[in-house]
Amino acid sequence: MRVPLSWLREYVDVPADAGVDDVFAALVSVGFEEEEALSFEVTGPVVVGQVLSFEAEPQSNGKTIRWCQVDVGEPEPRGIVCGASNFFPGDKVVVALPGAVLPGPFPISARKTYGHVSDGMIASARELGLGDEHSGILRLTELGLDPAPGTDAIALLGLDDVAVDVNVTPDRGYALSIRGIAREYAHATGAAFRDPAAHEWEDVQPGAGFPIVVDDQNPIRGRVGASEFVARVVRDVDPSRPTPPWMVARLTLAGIRSLGILIDITNYVMLELGNPMHGYDLDRLQGGITVRRASEGERMTTLDGKERTLSAEDLLITDESGPIGLAGVMGGGTTEMTDATRNVLIEAATFDPVSIARTARRHKLPSEASRRFERGVDPLIPFVAARRVADLMVELAGGTLDTELGGALYGEVFLASIELPRGFVSQLIGVDYTDAEITGALEMIGCEVSALDDGDGWEVIPPSWRPDLTDRWTLAEEVARIHGLDRIPSVLPTPPSGRGLTTLQNGRRRVANALAAAGYVETPSFPFQTAEANALHGSAAGDADPGIRLANPLDGHAPYLRRSLVPGLLQVAHRNLSRGFTDLALFETGLVFTPEAGAEYGTADVPPLGELPSDEVLAALNASIPPQPRHVAVLLTGHVAPKRPGQPAVTADLSDALSAVAEIGAAAGVRIDVAQGQRAALHPGRTGVLSVGDVEVGYVGEVLPAVSAAADLPGRVYVAELDLDLALSLAGRPDVAASLSGFPAATQDVSLVVGEDVVAADVAAALREGAGELLESLRLVDDYRGQGLDEGTKSLTFALRFRAPDRTLTAAEATEAKVNGVAVASDRYAATIRE
């Protein structure tokens, strides 16, 4: 909110010597944020001049300049070159003399141009910072001014005014007005405040006879779109009258350009009182005004010249011809005030904030009016604001107030009381406020405070302009704000014992940290995918249901919630490869969405946004969404080790993906077994199923060449994906590191011949079971198929390491353990030792 200080001083006693820093300090002390100080950036000498004469001189470039003699209140006139042609001898103008600085900054000096020495500059409104008009120089007669030559033009035009810009938070909409800021300055400094809305109720009543109807057939959240509506009539206005310079200066500093006296007055009162206003050309209205919701697909043209297609939620101002305005947002073009307007209908209203906010966002049409209405406008101010506009139109535009014709829709303003227990504020804020400090602060901001019958607290009725004061907590915040936030001590809270990250959260962090430490880069991606990607990667067979389709997707080509993390990693890999990064090791942890077959998700019963849902409503909402397990996935492509002198580059292969799986298992605290499997998106024979015990938790493998080609990935791509939450839930108790044995190990190898369809992991499990506790580690080192073996068989070679915790093993003990393992493998899979 930009606040010119001259305007602020009308309603609160700001010391004459107070500058912008002083005003900022006062407003910051009551909770506002300082933005910037604003001024016209004009320094003198800038004076009033009178054009005595001029000579038009055509130039070789086709331009005609005027060599002017201008009286600036000095003994001799000054010669000034001017390129404008909209002034005449005798006109009073604004002259920037040498030494002046205009906005830009643009310093003025005497300079030779077009064969003359121009001793100053005759300025336009835009050059003075008073608007965008640059069709010619500023003629003071057009502003209704006739000062003497040499008069200080900076003071005359209000160019010496400055403004402070403060950030107003959404809950303090009352401060989007000079009235609200003046009140807050009074709170901060104790200065006397004069309320511009302090009028007798009888003085602000409109006439009767103008029909006003509110017919809201589709209220949002059950709240009628317009609760109050005031109409006043001013006749015989003169829209050609100039806007006074003081009003133009204030509007300009406040960020609103001057658009003519009638519109300027409505904008001025909006800034002054905080109630947006609108004026209609009464002679262009057809019948009375009806406030209603739009019909779906109905159209209207707004003041910006755009035709808009309306929604059934849009609140309209209409007459017998149809829509004439988007209520609280922007008026229509058919009834706007123009230079031909003679009779004006003034509108002031109270509109539902939610309705206005939705309309402004739906049509991408933010305005100063909607900004105020969506934050809440004082429901007691429309009558005062309408009268204020009417009075200014009478005073400045030469109109006559019609006291007979008008209309009003009166709304009941109910201000609910709040019970504030004694001791609550001090306990919540942590400051020992006295009863007098609490009641004094609340009364200062406009509350009515009365003691409870039992004497153990107060009943507080908030003021009409503070819809944000809804409970005892917001009242306590006001007490703290008024008495200074610097009184609140800085004390670090003592954390309760036994809190911190949950077991699952700790596990997720361990896995992510382990992968990052292993050289993988985390690349979170959007959880939206195509139906094809969900079907291909969402199940082993590649025929999964597409999943949950969003009602309002960000991307129409990817409207489904993802069933797998792999498609997102493929997209990230493609993006990086297109930018020259060819060696990639990526990972992501995130939610996937796995709807159960036959289940229906979603709900049409969305609870109101302004209410806390009950436990039953929350339970119903949770039941309406699909399971969302957290997965972890990795992707490898390119080289895992670059080329170096004497060492070729090492290309990523399936063993690297398996190493990533081992890292995940170690961090999660589980042992992950790998068995050969099948998956639609992965290469047959190079795909593994990942299990923890008997529970399948994921898969690993090489992406099919056709799938990687479709993702524009030229090389081999390896991926692994696990249900991280499921794996962590199977971890059980944390592993305790075993003591290291000081005795030597005994190593032996064994080669077993089995059928080609026998899974190597099953044979390893049989060897481990049969060998018993002496077996310290087992590793598959060779898988041979070919000459020397019967057709349909293969030879699996395992490296075994045995160790005892309390003695040195003999070769016989190690051999016996190995033979026991081979026996179990022989019984289960007909394994024989290869000769």
Side-chain angles (χ1 to χ4, degrees):
M1 176 68 189
R2 298 180 175 184
V3 184
L5 295 193
S6 67
W7 204 350
L8 184 66
R9 286 188 169 98
E10 289 190 9
Y11 303 117
V12 67
D13 291 339
V14 180
D17 59 349
V20 292
D21 290 338
D22 301 308
V23 176
F24 270 137
L27 295 177
V28 167
S29 71
V30 287
F32 292 97
E33 291 183 13
E34 174 184 335
E35 292 289 342
E36 60 178 333
L38 303 153
S39 69
F40 286 100
E41 299 178 350
V42 176
T43 59
V46 179
V47 300
V48 174
Q50 185 172 21
V51 179
L52 302 176
S53 64
F54 61 79
E55 296 178 11
E57 299 180 355
Q59 304 297 311
S60 59
N61 59 5
K63 183 178 179 179
T64 298
I65 61 98
R66 289 179 172 183
W67 172 239
C68 308
Q69 299 301 310
V70 184
D71 179 6
V72 294
E74 298 174 345
E76 298 293 331
R78 296 204 180 212
I80 298 176
V81 173
C82 184
S85 59
N86 67 319
F87 61 94
F88 308 95
D91 277 348
K92 301 286 181 67
V93 295
V94 177
V95 179
L97 298 177
V101 178
L102 300 185
F106 181 46
I108 305 299
S109 62
R111 62 191 182 94
K112 186 174 182 179
T113 178
Y114 294 108
H116 301 282
V117 175
S118 183
D119 201 14
M121 186 182 80
I122 303 176
S124 68
R126 188 170 74 174
E127 289 165 339
L128 293 170
L130 285 172
D132 297 328
E133 181 61 39
H134 198 56
S135 59
I137 59 96
L138 178 64
R139 301 171 63 216
L140 296 180
T141 184
E142 295 178 347
L143 300 180
L145 300 175
D146 189 23
T151 302
D152 183 3
I154 293 178
L156 178 71
L157 299 177
L159 300 178
D160 54 351
D161 201 359
V162 294
V164 294
D165 187 7
V166 293
N167 181 31
V168 177
T169 54
D171 62 327
R172 300 174 72 180
Y174 68 94
L176 291 173
S177 66
I178 303 298
R179 179 196 184 204
I181 295 295
R183 190 190 304 274
E184 290 297 327
Y185 182 86
H187 295 167
T189 63
F193 168 68
R194 297 172 291 278
D195 190 353
H199 289 268
E200 294 296 331
W201 181 244
E202 294 75 13
D203 294 340
V204 297
Q205 292 304 298
F210 188 86
I212 300 171
V213 177
V214 174
D215 182 21
D216 189 353
Q217 300 295 324
N218 186 30
I220 298 176
R221 300 185 189 172
R223 298 176 62 175
V224 176
S227 56
E228 286 184 320
F229 199 100
V230 184
R232 301 202 75 126
V233 173
V234 178
R235 298 190 181 276
D236 301 322
V237 297
D238 181 3
S240 65
R241 285 198 178 187
T243 302
W246 57 266
M247 182 177 284
V248 173
R250 287 179 177 181
L251 289 174
T252 301
L253 279 178
I256 295 180
R257 62 191 180 98
S258 177
L259 296 172
I261 183 63
L262 300 181
I263 297 176
D264 288 350
I265 287 172
T266 59
N267 286 334
Y268 186 84
V269 174
M270 174 186 69
L271 294 174
E272 184 175 71
L273 298 179
N275 196 128
M277 312 292 297
H278 190 68
Y280 301 92
D281 188 325
L282 180 62
D283 299 322
R284 298 170 72 181
L285 283 171
Q286 300 181 26
I289 282 181
T290 298
V291 183
R292 63 171 174 84
R293 297 287 173 180
S295 301
E296 191 67 38
E298 191 173 1
R299 305 176 74 86
M300 73 164 290
T301 301
T302 47
L303 282 174
D304 57 1
K306 295 183 179 179
E307 186 178 46
R308 302 183 182 276
T309 302
L310 306 177
S311 163
E313 281 193 349
D314 291 332
L315 190 67
L316 299 180
I317 309 297
T318 68
D319 64 3
E320 292 179 359
S321 67
I324 59 174
L326 275 174
V329 179
M330 184 174 284
T334 58
T335 57
E336 67 176 315
M337 296 182 294
T338 66
D339 292 341
T341 298
R342 292 296 175 265
N343 301 305
V344 176
L345 178 79
I346 301 164
E347 167 208 307
T350 301
F351 295 118
D352 174 46
V354 173
S355 179
I356 303 306
R358 290 189 182 183
T359 295
R361 284 158 179 74
R362 182 180 301 110
H363 294 285
K364 297 180 175 62
L365 195 60
S367 64
E368 291 292 334
S370 66
R371 185 183 175 207
R372 286 163 173 81
F373 276 126
E374 67 188 28
R375 286 163 172 77
V377 169
D378 184 356
L380 299 182
I381 207 70
F383 290 85
V384 176
R387 180 58 189 261
R388 174 68 166 152
V389 170
D391 290 344
L392 286 174
M393 285 188 177
V394 170
E395 177 186 350
L396 303 178
T400 303
L401 177 62
D402 189 333
T403 58
E404 300 297 327
L405 183 63
L409 168 70
Y410 297 88
E412 180 181 0
V413 179
F414 175 73
L415 302 173
S417 63
I418 303 170
E419 185 175 308
L420 182 63
R422 177 174 278 107
F424 175 80
V425 175
S426 296
Q427 181 179 4
L428 179 68
I429 304 300
V431 176
D432 291 330
Y433 297 108
T434 65
D435 290 354
E437 286 179 318
I438 293 172
T439 57
L442 295 177
E443 289 171 347
M444 178 183 290
I445 66 173
C447 295
E448 296 180 17
V449 183
S450 58
L452 293 175
D453 293 338
D454 59 7
D456 195 27
W458 302 273
E459 182 181 33
V460 182
I461 300 178
S464 59
W465 58 85
R466 294 297 302 271
D468 58 309
L469 301 181
T470 56
D471 49 41
R472 63 184 64 173
W473 289 271
T474 52
L475 293 179
E477 181 182 351
E478 288 300 296
V479 174
R481 184 174 69 87
I482 294 300
H483 287 297
L485 301 178
D486 55 336
R487 286 184 60 180
I488 302 175
S490 298
V491 179
L492 292 176
T494 302
S497 60
R499 301 296 177 89
L501 299 178
T502 65
T503 302
L504 278 179
Q505 289 170 334
N506 274 316
R508 294 166 187 165
R509 289 197 177 187
R510 287 198 309 271
V511 169
N513 290 338
L515 288 173
Y520 288 80
V521 177
E522 187 172 11
T523 57
S525 57
F526 287 114
F528 313 118
Q529 280 301 331
T530 63
E532 295 76 16
N534 267 356
L536 178 62
H537 297 276
S539 69
D543 56 357
D545 182 272
I548 302 297
R549 183 184 178 92
L550 296 173
N552 54 343
L554 295 177
D555 182 355
H557 297 292
Y560 290 90
L561 292 173
R562 66 188 178 191
R563 296 180 60 104
S564 167
L565 300 180
V566 169
L569 289 176
L570 292 173
Q571 293 169 2
V572 172
H574 163 66
R575 191 175 304 116
N576 279 271
L577 281 169
S578 68
R579 287 160 174 76
F581 298 99
T582 57
D583 303 328
L584 300 173
L586 312 175
F587 85 95
E588 179 179 359
T589 62
L591 299 178
V592 299
F593 305 84
T594 55
E596 298 174 351
E600 294 185 3
Y601 299 101
T603 178
D605 299 327
V606 179
L609 297 179
E611 299 178 9
L612 178 66
S614 64
D615 292 341
E616 293 76 13
V617 171
L618 288 174
L621 289 174
N622 287 328
S624 69
I625 58 178
Q628 301 175 40
R630 185 175 297 272
H631 281 202
V632 58
V634 300
L635 179 145
L636 290 144
T637 188
H639 299 130
V640 293
K643 182 180 180 180
R644 294 171 182 167
Q647 176 182 322
V650 179
T651 304
D653 60 19
L654 189 57
S655 65
D656 297 299
L658 289 170
S659 296
V661 171
E663 291 282 355
I664 294 171
V670 295
R671 193 187 75 188
I672 299 177
D673 297 320
V674 185
Q676 193 170 26
Q678 296 288 332
R679 201 162 182 92
L682 302 185
H683 200 295
R686 300 176 189 169
T687 301
V689 175
L690 306 177
S691 302
V692 176
D694 297 330
V695 181
E696 182 177 329
V697 296
Y699 60 89
V700 62
E702 180 184 336
V703 177
L704 276 172
V707 175
S708 58
D712 292 328
L713 301 176
R716 291 190 173 186
V717 180
Y718 301 91
V719 297
E721 182 172 15
L722 294 86
D723 185 331
L724 181 56
D725 285 346
L726 177 58
L728 290 171
S729 69
L730 299 172
R733 298 183 63 181
D735 289 336
V736 177
S739 300
L740 295 177
S741 173
F743 295 95
T747 58
Q748 295 196 17
D749 292 343
V750 62
S751 296
L752 299 179
V753 179
V754 295
E756 282 186 338
D757 59 342
V758 176
V759 178
D762 293 339
V763 178
L767 283 172
R768 189 177 290 109
E769 180 182 338
E773 296 180 354
L774 294 179
L775 180 64
E776 184 177 77
S777 70
L778 177 149
R779 182 165 52 91
L780 177 67
V781 295
D782 186 41
D783 182 339
Y784 174 76
R785 312 176 192 207
Q787 186 176 359
L789 295 178
D790 295 337
E791 185 176 353
T793 63
K794 61 183 178 182
S795 172
L796 302 175
T797 301
F798 296 92
L800 311 175
R801 185 171 67 221
F802 300 94
R803 193 192 308 264
D806 55 352
R807 66 188 187 281
T808 299
L809 288 179
T810 64
E813 287 177 311
T815 301
E816 182 182 0
K818 179 183 72 173
V819 170
N820 292 338
V822 171
V824 175
S826 178
D827 290 341
R828 293 182 181 176
Y829 307 109
T832 59
I833 295 178
R834 182 181 175 188
E835 299 298 336

